[in-house]
Amino acid sequence: MKPEKPGTGSPELDALLGGGLERRVITQIYGEPASGKSTLCLMAAVECLKAGKSVVFIDTEGFSVDRFSQIAGEQAEELAEHLYLFEPVDFEQQGLMIAESEGLLRAGREYPVDLIVMDSATALYRTEFEAGKEAVRKLSHYMVKLLGLAKKYDVPVLITNQIYMDIDRSRVMGLGGTALAHISKAIVRLEKTDSVRRAVLQKHRWRPEGLSFEFVLTEDGIKGV
Ligand SMILES: Nc1ncnc2c1ncn2[C@@H]1O[C@H](COP(=O)(O)OP(=O)(O)O)[C@@H](O)[C@H]1O
Ligand SMILES: [Mg+2]
């Protein structure tokens, strides 16, 4: 097994997660729109690329080249060469692209893939959400497939998730229900207030839940305050 945990590009988030992104598991970041989920995904990707590795990046929400360039800085063009971007347009394609990405994970590359990002896991699912059980089943299947890749290739998986209002319990929940929560071994919730945002550890295998830090969004990513 590879020893070190890949960093997220944010020292605060690394500390919250106990040293970075754990290999062989799914780490989930969820929160409302504009809370900083995609920024964190790009930061983690850039960190991995800067370490001389490749990244599989599955984007269901519209990848922003401009935001990538801001976060990657001067080396953006060079780093982008090893960013393998998948942009599924529907929920079906999302599953196909997860499967397809395995070709890139296989050994023998000069710049081995050391991170899989899926931002977000549930944007396309959302359109089928109303369809009910079948969509839930499919989403679970995708997650199991991703987890399988994480284990087989000893890499971390970072996914983001959107929220919805659970009317019955009158509170905000992550999409994908308990299945998505269960399969994610680390979960970070992003909260957005007027000026600062807060990242809260909601689930972790060996760190207490409730740990948190405050941050602001800047040109080159998130910054702890
Ligand atoms: N260069 C920047 N400087 C400061 N804030 C920025 C910059 N670029 C984007 N943002 C802020 O980041 C937020 C969007 O963050 P993002 O990571 O895309 O959120 P999410 O993926 O959770 O929807 C917006 O509030 C936007 O104003
Ligand atoms: Mg986003």
Side-chain angles (χ1 to χ4, degrees):
M1 277 205 286
K2 303 169 206 161
E4 83 301 354
K5 291 193 183 76
T8 62
S10 155
E12 293 84 5
L13 185 59
D14 285 350
L16 193 75
L17 292 170
L21 295 166
E22 192 171 344
R23 295 179 183 280
R24 311 168 71 85
V25 307
I26 295 173
T27 296
Q28 179 189 149
I29 297 175
Y30 81 96
E32 61 183 287
S35 56
K37 303 181 295 296
S38 295
T39 300
L40 283 170
C41 287
L42 291 171
M43 288 174 76
V46 165
E47 185 72 8
C48 185
L49 295 167
K50 282 185 173 167
K53 305 289 174 58
S54 298
V55 175
V56 164
F57 201 110
I58 302 168
D59 192 309
T60 64
E61 301 195 325
F63 187 84
S64 169
V65 174
D66 292 320
R67 191 65 173 131
F68 173 81
S69 298
Q70 281 180 356
I71 290 167
E74 281 170 10
Q75 296 167 268
E77 214 169 307
E78 190 187 319
L79 293 175
E81 280 177 35
H82 301 114
L83 179 82
Y84 297 107
L85 183 62
F86 292 85
E87 297 184 283
V89 298
D90 58 39
F91 195 45
E92 199 67 43
Q93 224 180 52
Q94 188 176 346
L96 294 173
M97 288 182 172
I98 292 169
E100 202 180 303
S101 74
E102 181 162 9
L104 296 164
L105 284 146
R106 292 204 180 96
R109 312 196 136 253
E110 193 182 348
Y111 299 88
V113 172
D114 209 30
L115 174 65
I116 302 171
V117 176
M118 195 158 78
D119 181 25
S120 74
T122 48
L124 301 171
Y125 162 80
R126 185 166 214 145
T127 57
E128 294 195 20
F129 188 42
E130 301 300 323
K133 285 214 167 61
E134 176 58 18
V136 175
R137 201 193 57 76
K138 227 189 251 179
L139 181 67
S140 298
H141 177 75
Y142 293 173
M143 291 305 132
V144 168
K145 176 71 189 165
L146 269 180
L147 184 59
L149 294 177
K151 288 185 172 161
K152 188 168 175 188
Y153 298 101
D154 202 15
V155 297
V157 171
L158 177 63
I159 67 166
T160 64
N161 190 14
Q162 303 173 320
I163 53 170
Y164 74 102
M165 186 69 190
D166 184 333
I167 308 293
D168 296 339
R169 289 188 247 182
S170 71
R171 65 180 177 132
V172 161
M173 306 277 290
L175 267 178
T178 49
L180 196 54
H182 258 116
I183 205 161
S184 307
K185 288 295 176 238
I187 301 181
V188 175
R189 181 175 73 245
L190 301 184
E191 296 172 354
K192 192 171 134 231
T193 52
D194 287 345
S195 50
V196 297
R197 286 159 170 79
R198 179 183 288 276
V200 184
L201 193 63
Q202 180 164 319
K203 177 182 173 184
H204 198 275
R205 296 209 279 188
W206 50 273
R207 309 252 305 149
E209 60 185 54
L211 293 176
S212 70
F213 69 88
E214 290 187 332
F215 66 93
V216 291
L217 285 154
T218 69
E219 173 94 8
D220 39 53
I222 73 155
K223 216 168 233 94
V225 292

Short mmCIF file of all heavy atoms in Angstrom, two decimals, residues 153-193:
data_model
loop_
_atom_site.label_atom_id
_atom_site.label_comp_id
_atom_site.label_asym_id
_atom_site.label_seq_id
_atom_site.Cartn_x
_atom_site.Cartn_y
_atom_site.Cartn_z
N TYR A 153 -7.09 0.27 -6.93
CA TYR A 153 -5.93 1.07 -7.36
C TYR A 153 -5.33 1.91 -6.22
O TYR A 153 -4.47 2.75 -6.47
CB TYR A 153 -6.31 1.93 -8.57
CG TYR A 153 -6.71 1.05 -9.74
CD1 TYR A 153 -8.06 0.85 -10.06
CD2 TYR A 153 -5.76 0.37 -10.49
CE1 TYR A 153 -8.43 0.01 -11.09
CE2 TYR A 153 -6.12 -0.48 -11.53
CZ TYR A 153 -7.46 -0.64 -11.83
OH TYR A 153 -7.82 -1.49 -12.85
N ASP A 154 -5.84 1.70 -5.02
CA ASP A 154 -5.27 2.35 -3.84
C ASP A 154 -5.25 3.88 -3.95
O ASP A 154 -4.24 4.53 -3.68
CB ASP A 154 -3.84 1.81 -3.60
CG ASP A 154 -3.37 2.00 -2.17
OD1 ASP A 154 -4.21 2.28 -1.30
OD2 ASP A 154 -2.15 1.90 -1.93
N VAL A 155 -6.37 4.44 -4.38
CA VAL A 155 -6.46 5.90 -4.52
C VAL A 155 -7.65 6.43 -3.70
O VAL A 155 -8.57 5.67 -3.38
CB VAL A 155 -6.66 6.33 -6.00
CG1 VAL A 155 -5.46 5.93 -6.84
CG2 VAL A 155 -7.95 5.76 -6.58
N PRO A 156 -7.62 7.70 -3.35
CA PRO A 156 -8.79 8.29 -2.70
C PRO A 156 -9.83 8.71 -3.74
O PRO A 156 -9.48 9.01 -4.88
CB PRO A 156 -8.24 9.53 -1.99
CG PRO A 156 -6.87 9.75 -2.54
CD PRO A 156 -6.52 8.67 -3.49
N VAL A 157 -11.07 8.71 -3.31
CA VAL A 157 -12.16 9.24 -4.15
C VAL A 157 -12.78 10.41 -3.39
O VAL A 157 -13.10 10.29 -2.21
CB VAL A 157 -13.24 8.17 -4.43
CG1 VAL A 157 -14.45 8.79 -5.11
CG2 VAL A 157 -12.69 7.04 -5.28
N LEU A 158 -12.91 11.53 -4.08
CA LEU A 158 -13.54 12.71 -3.49
C LEU A 158 -14.81 13.00 -4.28
O LEU A 158 -14.76 13.18 -5.49
CB LEU A 158 -12.58 13.92 -3.58
CG LEU A 158 -13.12 15.25 -3.07
CD1 LEU A 158 -13.45 15.19 -1.58
CD2 LEU A 158 -12.09 16.36 -3.33
N ILE A 159 -15.95 13.00 -3.59
CA ILE A 159 -17.20 13.32 -4.28
C ILE A 159 -17.87 14.51 -3.59
O ILE A 159 -17.62 14.78 -2.41
CB ILE A 159 -18.20 12.13 -4.30
CG1 ILE A 159 -18.70 11.79 -2.89
CG2 ILE A 159 -17.57 10.90 -4.96
CD1 ILE A 159 -19.91 10.86 -2.88
N THR A 160 -18.69 15.21 -4.35
CA THR A 160 -19.50 16.26 -3.72
C THR A 160 -20.96 15.86 -3.85
O THR A 160 -21.33 15.04 -4.69
CB THR A 160 -19.29 17.64 -4.38
OG1 THR A 160 -19.76 17.59 -5.73
CG2 THR A 160 -17.84 18.04 -4.35
N ASN A 161 -21.75 16.45 -3.01
CA ASN A 161 -23.17 16.12 -2.98
C ASN A 161 -23.96 17.38 -2.72
O ASN A 161 -23.50 18.31 -2.05
CB ASN A 161 -23.42 15.09 -1.87
CG ASN A 161 -24.81 14.49 -1.92
OD1 ASN A 161 -25.53 14.62 -2.90
ND2 ASN A 161 -25.18 13.83 -0.84
N GLN A 162 -25.16 17.38 -3.27
CA GLN A 162 -26.04 18.54 -3.08
C GLN A 162 -27.01 18.27 -1.94
O GLN A 162 -27.11 17.15 -1.47
CB GLN A 162 -26.80 18.80 -4.38
CG GLN A 162 -25.85 19.01 -5.54
CD GLN A 162 -26.58 19.11 -6.85
OE1 GLN A 162 -27.53 18.37 -7.10
NE2 GLN A 162 -26.15 20.01 -7.69
N ILE A 163 -27.69 19.28 -1.55
CA ILE A 163 -28.60 19.11 -0.42
C ILE A 163 -30.04 19.35 -0.84
O ILE A 163 -30.31 19.95 -1.87
CB ILE A 163 -28.26 20.07 0.73
CG1 ILE A 163 -28.19 21.52 0.22
CG2 ILE A 163 -26.96 19.68 1.41
CD1 ILE A 163 -28.11 22.52 1.33
N TYR A 164 -30.92 18.84 -0.05
CA TYR A 164 -32.34 19.14 -0.26
C TYR A 164 -32.98 19.25 1.11
O TYR A 164 -32.43 18.83 2.13
CB TYR A 164 -33.01 18.03 -1.09
CG TYR A 164 -33.26 16.75 -0.33
CD1 TYR A 164 -34.53 16.44 0.15
CD2 TYR A 164 -32.21 15.86 -0.09
CE1 TYR A 164 -34.74 15.25 0.85
CE2 TYR A 164 -32.42 14.68 0.60
CZ TYR A 164 -33.69 14.38 1.08
OH TYR A 164 -33.90 13.22 1.77
N MET A 165 -34.15 19.85 1.12
CA MET A 165 -34.86 20.04 2.37
C MET A 165 -35.74 18.83 2.64
O MET A 165 -36.64 18.53 1.86
CB MET A 165 -35.73 21.32 2.26
CG MET A 165 -36.40 21.70 3.54
SD MET A 165 -35.18 22.28 4.74
CE MET A 165 -36.20 22.37 6.20
N ASP A 166 -35.45 18.12 3.70
CA ASP A 166 -36.29 17.00 4.10
C ASP A 166 -37.47 17.57 4.88
O ASP A 166 -37.33 17.99 6.02
CB ASP A 166 -35.48 16.02 4.96
CG ASP A 166 -36.28 14.76 5.32
OD1 ASP A 166 -37.53 14.84 5.37
OD2 ASP A 166 -35.66 13.72 5.55
N ILE A 167 -38.62 17.62 4.21
CA ILE A 167 -39.79 18.26 4.81
C ILE A 167 -40.23 17.53 6.08
O ILE A 167 -40.54 18.15 7.09
CB ILE A 167 -40.98 18.30 3.80
CG1 ILE A 167 -40.54 18.91 2.46
CG2 ILE A 167 -42.16 19.07 4.39
CD1 ILE A 167 -40.18 20.37 2.49
N ASP A 168 -40.21 16.20 6.01
CA ASP A 168 -40.66 15.40 7.16
C ASP A 168 -39.86 15.70 8.42
O ASP A 168 -40.41 15.81 9.50
CB ASP A 168 -40.57 13.90 6.84
CG ASP A 168 -41.52 13.52 5.71
OD1 ASP A 168 -42.48 14.29 5.50
OD2 ASP A 168 -41.28 12.50 5.04
N ARG A 169 -38.54 15.77 8.23
CA ARG A 169 -37.71 16.00 9.41
C ARG A 169 -37.34 17.47 9.56
O ARG A 169 -36.55 17.83 10.42
CB ARG A 169 -36.44 15.15 9.33
CG ARG A 169 -36.75 13.67 9.53
CD ARG A 169 -35.48 12.87 9.64
NE ARG A 169 -35.32 11.99 8.49
CZ ARG A 169 -34.30 11.15 8.35
NH1 ARG A 169 -33.34 11.11 9.22
NH2 ARG A 169 -34.22 10.36 7.30
N SER A 170 -37.88 18.28 8.65
CA SER A 170 -37.60 19.71 8.55
C SER A 170 -36.14 20.06 8.82
O SER A 170 -35.79 20.86 9.67
CB SER A 170 -38.53 20.53 9.46
OG SER A 170 -38.20 20.34 10.80
N ARG A 171 -35.28 19.37 8.05
CA ARG A 171 -33.88 19.76 8.07
C ARG A 171 -33.23 19.43 6.73
O ARG A 171 -33.80 18.71 5.91
CB ARG A 171 -33.12 19.07 9.21
CG ARG A 171 -33.04 17.58 9.08
CD ARG A 171 -32.25 17.03 10.27
NE ARG A 171 -32.21 15.59 10.21
CZ ARG A 171 -31.10 14.88 10.36
NH1 ARG A 171 -29.96 15.48 10.57
NH2 ARG A 171 -31.12 13.57 10.29
N VAL A 172 -32.06 20.00 6.55
CA VAL A 172 -31.37 19.86 5.29
C VAL A 172 -30.58 18.54 5.27
O VAL A 172 -29.91 18.20 6.22
CB VAL A 172 -30.44 21.08 5.12
CG1 VAL A 172 -29.37 20.82 4.09
CG2 VAL A 172 -31.26 22.30 4.74
N MET A 173 -30.71 17.82 4.17
CA MET A 173 -30.06 16.51 4.05
C MET A 173 -29.24 16.44 2.76
O MET A 173 -29.51 17.17 1.82
CB MET A 173 -31.12 15.40 3.97
CG MET A 173 -32.14 15.37 5.07
SD MET A 173 -31.51 14.53 6.51
CE MET A 173 -31.48 12.84 5.88
N GLY A 174 -28.27 15.54 2.74
CA GLY A 174 -27.54 15.29 1.51
C GLY A 174 -28.40 14.44 0.59
O GLY A 174 -29.15 13.59 1.05
N LEU A 175 -28.33 14.68 -0.71
CA LEU A 175 -29.07 13.85 -1.66
C LEU A 175 -28.51 12.42 -1.64
O LEU A 175 -27.41 12.18 -1.18
CB LEU A 175 -28.91 14.41 -3.07
CG LEU A 175 -29.96 15.38 -3.59
CD1 LEU A 175 -29.57 15.83 -4.98
CD2 LEU A 175 -31.34 14.74 -3.62
N GLY A 176 -29.29 11.51 -2.17
CA GLY A 176 -28.79 10.14 -2.27
C GLY A 176 -29.08 9.32 -1.03
O GLY A 176 -28.75 8.14 -0.98
N GLY A 177 -29.66 9.96 -0.05
CA GLY A 177 -30.12 9.24 1.14
C GLY A 177 -29.04 8.53 1.92
O GLY A 177 -27.86 8.87 1.83
N THR A 178 -29.47 7.53 2.65
CA THR A 178 -28.54 6.85 3.55
C THR A 178 -27.49 6.05 2.78
O THR A 178 -26.38 5.87 3.26
CB THR A 178 -29.30 5.89 4.49
OG1 THR A 178 -30.18 5.11 3.70
CG2 THR A 178 -30.08 6.66 5.53
N ALA A 179 -27.83 5.60 1.58
CA ALA A 179 -26.87 4.81 0.80
C ALA A 179 -25.61 5.62 0.55
O ALA A 179 -24.49 5.15 0.75
CB ALA A 179 -27.49 4.38 -0.51
N LEU A 180 -25.79 6.86 0.12
CA LEU A 180 -24.63 7.70 -0.19
C LEU A 180 -23.88 8.09 1.09
O LEU A 180 -22.66 8.19 1.09
CB LEU A 180 -25.09 8.96 -0.95
CG LEU A 180 -24.00 9.75 -1.65
CD1 LEU A 180 -23.18 8.87 -2.58
CD2 LEU A 180 -24.60 10.89 -2.45
N ALA A 181 -24.60 8.29 2.16
CA ALA A 181 -23.97 8.63 3.44
C ALA A 181 -23.18 7.43 3.97
O ALA A 181 -22.08 7.59 4.49
CB ALA A 181 -25.02 9.06 4.45
N HIS A 182 -23.74 6.25 3.81
CA HIS A 182 -23.08 5.05 4.32
C HIS A 182 -21.78 4.73 3.63
O HIS A 182 -20.79 4.38 4.26
CB HIS A 182 -24.02 3.84 4.15
CG HIS A 182 -24.69 3.47 5.43
ND1 HIS A 182 -26.04 3.55 5.59
CD2 HIS A 182 -24.19 3.05 6.60
CE1 HIS A 182 -26.35 3.19 6.82
NE2 HIS A 182 -25.25 2.89 7.46
N ILE A 183 -21.81 4.87 2.32
CA ILE A 183 -20.65 4.44 1.55
C ILE A 183 -19.50 5.45 1.65
O ILE A 183 -18.35 5.13 1.36
CB ILE A 183 -21.03 4.13 0.08
CG1 ILE A 183 -20.03 3.13 -0.52
CG2 ILE A 183 -21.18 5.39 -0.74
CD1 ILE A 183 -20.53 2.41 -1.73
N SER A 184 -19.81 6.68 2.10
CA SER A 184 -18.77 7.70 2.29
C SER A 184 -18.20 7.54 3.69
O SER A 184 -18.91 7.70 4.68
CB SER A 184 -19.35 9.11 2.14
OG SER A 184 -20.05 9.22 0.92
N LYS A 185 -16.91 7.22 3.78
CA LYS A 185 -16.31 6.98 5.10
C LYS A 185 -15.95 8.28 5.81
O LYS A 185 -15.81 8.32 7.03
CB LYS A 185 -15.07 6.10 4.97
CG LYS A 185 -15.41 4.66 4.63
CD LYS A 185 -16.18 3.97 5.76
CE LYS A 185 -16.60 2.56 5.39
NZ LYS A 185 -18.05 2.37 5.48
N ALA A 186 -15.76 9.35 5.05
CA ALA A 186 -15.56 10.67 5.65
C ALA A 186 -16.54 11.63 4.98
O ALA A 186 -16.71 11.60 3.76
CB ALA A 186 -14.13 11.14 5.45
N ILE A 187 -17.22 12.43 5.80
CA ILE A 187 -18.17 13.39 5.26
C ILE A 187 -17.91 14.76 5.89
O ILE A 187 -17.80 14.89 7.11
CB ILE A 187 -19.64 12.97 5.54
CG1 ILE A 187 -19.93 11.59 4.93
CG2 ILE A 187 -20.61 14.01 5.00
CD1 ILE A 187 -21.37 11.10 5.13
N VAL A 188 -17.77 15.76 5.01
CA VAL A 188 -17.58 17.13 5.47
C VAL A 188 -18.76 17.96 4.97
O VAL A 188 -19.10 17.93 3.79
CB VAL A 188 -16.26 17.73 4.92
CG1 VAL A 188 -16.14 19.21 5.29
CG2 VAL A 188 -15.06 16.95 5.45
N ARG A 189 -19.37 18.68 5.87
CA ARG A 189 -20.50 19.54 5.52
C ARG A 189 -20.02 20.98 5.44
O ARG A 189 -19.30 21.45 6.32
CB ARG A 189 -21.57 19.41 6.61
CG ARG A 189 -22.83 20.23 6.39
CD ARG A 189 -23.88 19.96 7.45
NE ARG A 189 -23.54 20.55 8.75
CZ ARG A 189 -23.30 19.85 9.85
NH1 ARG A 189 -23.34 18.54 9.83
NH2 ARG A 189 -23.00 20.45 10.98
N LEU A 190 -20.38 21.68 4.38
CA LEU A 190 -20.02 23.09 4.26
C LEU A 190 -21.23 23.94 4.58
O LEU A 190 -22.31 23.73 4.04
CB LEU A 190 -19.52 23.41 2.84
CG LEU A 190 -18.30 22.62 2.34
CD1 LEU A 190 -17.88 23.13 0.96
CD2 LEU A 190 -17.13 22.71 3.31
N GLU A 191 -21.04 24.87 5.47
CA GLU A 191 -22.13 25.77 5.85
C GLU A 191 -21.79 27.18 5.41
O GLU A 191 -20.64 27.60 5.53
CB GLU A 191 -22.33 25.73 7.38
CG GLU A 191 -22.77 24.38 7.88
CD GLU A 191 -22.78 24.27 9.41
OE1 GLU A 191 -22.33 25.23 10.07
OE2 GLU A 191 -23.22 23.23 9.93
N LYS A 192 -22.81 27.87 4.94
CA LYS A 192 -22.58 29.19 4.39
C LYS A 192 -23.40 30.20 5.17
O LYS A 192 -24.62 30.11 5.23
CB LYS A 192 -23.03 29.17 2.92
CG LYS A 192 -22.64 30.33 2.09
CD LYS A 192 -22.98 30.01 0.64
CE LYS A 192 -23.67 31.18 0.01
NZ LYS A 192 -24.88 30.92 -0.67
N THR A 193 -22.71 31.13 5.79
CA THR A 193 -23.43 32.22 6.43
C THR A 193 -23.11 33.49 5.65
O THR A 193 -22.64 33.40 4.53
CB THR A 193 -23.04 32.37 7.91
OG1 THR A 193 -21.62 32.46 7.98
CG2 THR A 193 -23.50 31.19 8.75
#
